[in-house]
Amino acid sequence: EAGVAQSPRYKIIEKRQSVAFWCNPISGHATLYWYQQILGQGPKLLIQFQNNGVVDDSQLPKDRFSAERLKGVDSTLKIQPAKLEDSAVYLCASSPPVLDEQFFGPGTRLTVL
Amino acid sequence: KQEVTQIPAALSVPEGENLVLNCSFTDSAIYNLQWFRQDPGKGLTSLLLIQSSQREQTSGRLNASLDKSSGRSTLYIAASQPGDSATYLCAVKGGGNKLTFGTGTQLKVEL
C-alpha cells in the first residue's frame, strides 16, 4: 500500500513569510498527526485529527500555526508569519482506526532565514 | 508530564557486535511503547511496538523489552551491520492517545 505522502520535501523562506505543507495519509487512516522535529530532538506533536475534527492541538502555537483537514483525508499545516525558530522537519503521520501504530511520511524540511 | 530519555545519545560499534539501546520514561501509566528508526533526511520507520501488557517483542535481529513498572525499555540489536546505521527513537503512548518521543540514539556501525 502507498505510504504517507508529504510535499514539498524542502522549503527555504525568509522570516515573516508564510508557508504551507501538505499531507496525504494512508487510505483508510482516520487519525492524522503533525509533528515538529527540531534538529537533535525527538518529534513533538503539534496537532492530532480524528477524521476532520481536532483531538489535540495543545502544543500548536496558534498565533502563527494553523492546520486543517476539511474532508477528513488530506491535511495542510500553515505557518504565518514564520520565525527563525520554526526551522525544523515537519512530519505527518497517520494511523488506522484499530491499530495503535503510527506511520510516518518523509517529512518537510523547513529552513527560515 | 511524561519525559522520555535515551542513552547513549550516540554510539559507534564495529560490524558484527551485539548492542543495546536504552529508553527510560517518567510516567509508567502508558498504553504502549514504540521503537522507530530514522535515516538522514527521511521520516520515521516503525520497528517494534510493545503493548503495556507485553514484556517483549521480536523482529528479525531486533528484540525490544519493556519493564513498565521501572519505566524502562531496551532495544537489542544482534550482529549489527553497516545498514543498521541510523537514529533510533523510542516513543511512549500515554493518555489522550499522545506519543512522547525521546531525543534518540545515533548509531554508527563501522566496517
Side-chain angles (χ1 to χ4, degrees):
Chain A
E1 65 180 5
V4 177
Q6 290 188 248
S7 68
R9 293 295 313 279
Y10 306 92
K11 190 73 177 178
I12 300 174
I13 61 173
E14 296 189 348
K15 60 182 179 183
R16 291 188 289 274
Q17 286 187 322
S18 62
V19 64
F21 312 127
W22 174 82
C23 172
N24 181 235
I26 294 172
S27 178
H29 284 197
T31 310
L32 184 147
Y33 313 80
W34 282 103
Y35 291 86
Q36 179 193 59
Q37 186 177 23
I38 293 172
L39 188 64
Q41 299 182 18
K44 181 186 81 172
L45 179 69
L46 293 175
I47 189 166
Q48 177 183 340
F49 292 95
Q50 181 74 21
N51 297 308
N52 61 350
V54 175
V55 174
D56 183 351
D57 63 357
S58 57
Q59 297 192 95
L60 187 74
K62 298 180 186 64
D63 57 333
R64 298 183 301 105
F65 285 63
S66 64
E68 60 183 14
R69 193 184 184 199
L70 292 176
K71 297 182 180 178
V73 181
D74 294 7
S75 177
T76 56
L77 176 69
K78 296 180 182 177
I79 307 175
Q80 182 179 8
K83 293 185 175 181
L84 296 177
E85 59 261 35
D86 297 332
S87 294
V89 175
Y90 291 84
L91 295 162
C92 179
S94 68
S95 62
V98 177
L99 290 178
D100 284 333
E101 203 167 351
Q102 294 187 21
F103 298 84
F104 283 76
T108 296
R109 182 176 297 276
L110 173 67
T111 301
V112 182
L113 303 175
Chain B
K1 178 187 172 186
Q2 178 74 270
E3 292 184 4
V4 181
T5 304
Q6 290 187 246
I7 295 173
L11 181 63
S12 182
V13 300
E15 182 180 12
E17 192 161 299
N18 301 327
L19 57 101
V20 174
L21 307 181
N22 297 291
C23 172
S24 61
F25 46 95
T26 55
D27 186 351
S28 62
I30 64 169
Y31 292 107
N32 62 49
L33 183 144
Q34 204 165 349
W35 282 93
F36 293 89
R37 169 185 173 138
Q38 187 171 32
D39 293 282
K42 302 281 182 68
L44 279 64
T45 302
S46 179
L47 298 173
L48 291 164
L49 184 149
I50 311 176
Q51 300 293 352
S52 61
S53 58
Q54 297 175 319
R55 297 284 294 184
E56 65 179 326
Q57 281 284 351
T58 298
S59 175
R61 294 182 294 108
L62 305 179
N63 175 275
S65 67
L66 173 64
D67 184 343
K68 200 174 81 160
S69 61
S70 67
R72 293 179 185 174
S73 175
T74 60
L75 179 67
Y76 175 83
I77 303 177
S80 58
Q81 303 170 358
D84 295 330
S85 298
T87 296
Y88 291 80
L89 294 156
C90 75
V92 296
K93 176 175 281 189
N97 210 35
K98 183 176 172 178
L99 275 184
T100 302
F101 283 84
T103 53
T105 293
Q106 190 171 359
L107 172 66
K108 184 175 182 181
V109 181
E110 298 174 318
L111 290 169

